[in-house]
Amino acid sequence: MLHERRITPNALSLASLLVGLLACAAFAAWPGFSGLLGAWILSQAAYTLDCMDGMQARWKDLRSPAGTALDFLV
């Protein structure tokens, strides 16, 4: 039986921040085309996570002023 995973929108926001910082580090430290491609993939993953947090908050009705501020900050 599959159990529902309880990942909060705020956890998705923080994951987006972490992946975005990894993308920035990859842009800075990984030379060449492979570095550019890796950093681009990481930045797209961060963008996807950033979009998911708001959709999940609205879908599960988990909106809060603190979550909105965190999402705006990230």
Side-chain angles (χ1 to χ4, degrees):
M1 176 184 234
L2 294 174
H3 295 285
E4 181 181 336
R5 300 203 183 257
R6 300 190 196 283
I7 299 175
T8 65
N10 288 346
L12 286 173
S13 291
L14 293 175
S16 172
L17 177 63
L18 177 66
V19 174
L21 291 174
L22 287 173
C24 290
F27 272 125
W30 195 357
F33 180 74
S34 61
L36 178 65
L37 185 62
W40 177 77
I41 290 170
L42 285 170
S43 67
Q44 292 304 302
Y47 177 71
T48 301
L49 288 169
D50 186 45
C51 291
M52 286 172 56
D53 62 356
M55 290 191 314
Q56 183 187 31
R58 286 186 292 277
W59 182 53
K60 292 187 174 184
D61 199 27
L62 297 172
R63 292 170 283 190
S64 70
T68 301
L70 178 64
D71 184 47
F72 182 73
L73 177 68
V74 171

